[in-house]
Amino acid sequence: MTTAPIPVFDGHNDVLLRLYNNGGDDAAIQSFLTGGAGGHLDLPRAREGGFAGGMFAIFPPSPAMENFMDLMQGEGYDLPLPDALELSDGQKSTLAMASILFRLERASEGAVAVCRSVADIRAAMARGALATVLHIEGAEAIDADLVMLDVLHAAGLRSIGPVWSRPNIFGHGVPMRFPSSPDTGPGLTHAGFDLVRACNRLGILIDLSHLNEKGFWEVAKTSNAPLVATHSNVHAICPVSRNLTDAQYEAIRASGGVVGLNYATAFLRPDGHMDAATGLDVMIRHLDAMLERLGETGVALGSDYDGAVVPEGVADVSLLPRLIEAMQAHGYGDALIRRIASENWLDVLDRTWSPR
């Protein structure tokens, strides 16, 4: 008898961007539901690998955006970021990707669920449906008056990264720079502080993964919710600006927060390279370090599937059991693995989504 894989609820993927770039039409929707269209994540492979759901990110792309992944090589790099995105452009792509998620749910006939509460997530997982949560990575669709925030929250938005790495009206992100600390310049703007307080009132998770260090500390001083980075790793192992310092980990732990392990190889490897020829052992090394810094209740998974080059051993969601097996072989017990795989996310979401 084959044992069912341990279910994984994941902190970050970019499949909506992939489907948007592939036309965002009925054919793209069906490619996700039936498989065979490439990428890291679709419904058949999710079922095969025990990928039970996660935060499905909306990332509004910049025009003529470079492929950063191809440039993250060599002894060091400092890649130029795109200019700030116009509000109209951010809104157009953000609403289009939200529409893709809602159309996926309708076309799936119950196999995909857009979840707005932890009870929704648990119910979807229990019946074998893919539990999706609407997340934004880069708030370029939201105006300074936060009118669009109310609209998106009513539609189902439950998690938001105020910035991707490029600047916007809410703050400044970290560059694609190696080696580098995350201390790279100014943090939140006045509008950024307003956004943090509004997210607290509405019960929207604030994702710190792309904020620079000044912005991180400003959120930490302003927010009354647990501090969360959905897809970041350990700067002491891989000194890229996207990773978190020990002081940041200490603040996250003190707040009762969570960090999701990012599978992007440039944020795993000590040399900062985007290279699929990366062993699962470096992922375990980061998990060990995260557990040391956060404890067993603060560590989760945040794959960045469809948004990065990931290790060959977990080349798509169907291979997630290999990561679970690597944790088992390393000595992680079943209860700890289940915490990392899903329970820590559900716990912090439950504590965050209550309006404050």
Side-chain angles (χ1 to χ4, degrees), residues 8-14 41 51-58 131 133-137 158-161 205 207-209 228-232 242 258-263 299-305 320 340-342 344-346 348-349 353:
V8 170
F9 185 89
D10 183 75
H12 188 92
N13 72 72
D14 286 294
L41 172 59
F51 184 92
M55 264 84 91
F56 277 57
I58 290 172
V133 173
L134 185 60
H135 166 78
I136 283 178
E137 180 181 39
R158 293 296 180 270
S159 177
I160 186 167
L205 183 145
D207 178 16
L208 301 167
S209 279
V228 173
T230 63
H231 57 309
S232 293
R242 271 281 282 107
V258 166
V259 178
L261 175 76
N262 191 330
Y263 304 179
V299 181
L301 302 176
S303 65
D304 216 354
Y305 273 141
L320 282 173
I340 293 170
S342 64
N344 286 341
W345 272 131
L346 301 191
V348 78
L349 294 179
W353 285 352

Side-chain angles (χ1 to χ4, degrees), residues 265 269 271 273-282 309-313:
T265 57
R269 297 168 59 100
D271 62 9
H273 289 181
M274 278 291 193
D275 185 351
T278 299
L280 299 187
D281 59 310
V282 72
V309 174
V310 301
E312 292 169 340

Side-chain angles (χ1 to χ4, degrees), residues 144-206:
D145 293 328
L146 306 181
V147 172
M148 185 60 78
L149 182 69
D150 286 328
V151 173
L152 290 169
H153 177 258
L157 178 68
R158 293 296 180 270
S159 177
I160 186 167
V163 300
W164 179 68
S165 288
R166 71 189 159 215
N168 64 22
I169 65 169
F170 300 111
H172 298 262
V174 289
M176 305 297 178
R177 182 183 298 162
F178 177 90
S180 173
S181 88
D183 184 10
T184 57
L188 298 180
T189 63
H190 290 300
F193 283 101
D194 290 341
L195 178 64
V196 170
R197 288 186 283 263
C199 287
N200 284 168
R201 289 194 300 271
L202 292 168
I204 298 173
L205 183 145
I206 301 163

